[in-house]
Amino acid sequence: TQTVSQSDAHVTVFEGDSVELRCNYSYGGSIYLSWYIQHHGRGLQFLLKYYSGNPVVQGVNGFEAEFSKSDSSFHLRKASVHWSDSAVYFCAGYQGGRALIFGTGTTVSVSP
Amino acid sequence: EAAVTQSPRNKVAVTGGKVTLSCNQTNNHNNMYWYRQDTGHGLRLIHYSYGAGSTEKGDIPDGYKASRPSQENFSLILELATPSQTSVYFCASGPTGGAREQYFGPGTRLTVL
């Protein structure tokens, strides 16, 4: 069974701090991995994706993610968060077939 | 200017009633998807489509039907709504072979009383 898991349901950080959101997957073979952001009351917006090549991928608004095959992970990071980064973040995997498989999401709360 | 729109944005329905949720996309994408989002479950795929006239079952299709009359439009139909279908529903579009990147609508909050 292909799964994507996000171990942290909720993360609280102060503005200006760094943040890392964890994502682990269980797939065999090559896989597309991506991150989405969902602000309150809105739809999901694509942040970044990885399939091959440089394991560190850059996204919008200073986000980056690092793929690790040995750890089966695709963690999302940001060096300095802003209050507008408060949102729910979803990791997703795709290996052909029907559609994305989403993790359960991590809610990030940024305090001033 | 939004590329994926959904209507209605909010809906209150009665148990046993029929509900139709509509989705329109201007991305010219072949693939379209319907998800529901519930606390603790993330997003779960209900139905999807590869193009006009096609609909496929997702992971939780029971109690739902879908219709794709055109490239732009994809509807989700609840023939006999039940309280367990109270949720937020999202439509998304994606290019062929591009389930790895999808574009979402703003969501429809459905309450079934």
Side-chain angles (χ1 to χ4, degrees):
Chain A
T1 303
Q2 302 165 342
T3 63
V4 173
S5 62
Q6 296 178 246
S7 55
D8 299 314
H10 199 158
V11 172
T12 300
V13 292
F14 289 102
E15 198 164 20
D17 283 354
S18 63
V19 70
E20 179 177 87
L21 307 182
R22 292 180 290 187
C23 173
N24 291 91
Y25 64 91
S26 64
Y27 282 78
S30 300
I31 179 176
Y32 285 92
L33 291 162
S34 52
W35 278 96
Y36 288 76
I37 180 174
Q38 183 183 30
H39 288 104
H40 181 69
R42 307 280 296 275
L44 280 71
Q45 291 179 275
F46 173 79
L47 271 181
L48 49 74
K49 69 182 177 187
Y50 170 83
Y51 177 64
S52 65
N54 189 335
V56 179
V57 292
Q58 305 295 324
V60 298
N61 296 332
F63 286 98
E64 68 174 29
E66 183 167 5
F67 171 78
S68 171
K69 187 174 183 179
S70 60
D71 293 339
S72 298
S73 68
F74 188 55
H75 301 330
L76 181 70
R77 300 188 295 247
K78 187 169 183 178
S80 177
V81 297
H82 186 262
W83 64 266
S84 61
D85 294 324
S86 295
V88 183
Y89 293 79
F90 290 95
C91 182
Y94 174 74
Q95 200 178 32
R98 302 189 295 188
L100 292 167
I101 295 176
F102 287 91
T104 52
T106 298
T107 299
V108 174
S109 298
V110 180
S111 298
Chain B
E1 188 176 284
V4 181
T5 57
Q6 295 181 231
S7 63
R9 293 296 312 279
N10 291 280
K11 173 75 176 178
V12 179
V14 296
T15 297
K18 182 178 181 178
V19 176
T20 300
L21 307 183
S22 299
C23 177
N24 178 275
Q25 57 108 353
T26 58
N27 295 319
N28 198 30
H29 288 156
N30 286 333
N31 297 349
M32 295 187 75
Y33 309 86
W34 276 107
Y35 296 90
R36 63 178 285 176
Q37 183 178 35
D38 304 286
T39 303
H41 288 282
L43 277 82
R44 293 181 289 175
L45 181 66
I46 306 171
H47 283 289
Y48 61 104
S49 169
Y50 291 127
S54 97
T55 60
E56 306 289 339
K57 293 181 179 179
D59 297 321
I60 53 165
D62 293 344
Y64 302 94
K65 290 172 58 177
S67 174
R68 182 87 182 270
S70 65
Q71 177 84 338
E72 298 80 16
N73 295 294
F74 190 38
S75 298
L76 186 68
I77 304 151
L78 290 67
E79 295 278 5
L80 295 169
T82 68
S84 65
Q85 294 175 313
T86 293
S87 187
V88 180
Y89 291 85
F90 288 97
C91 176
S93 74
T96 301
R100 54 192 180 267
E101 184 172 335
Q102 296 180 13
Y103 299 84
F104 285 79
T108 294
R109 182 173 295 277
L110 173 66
T111 302
V112 183
L113 303 176

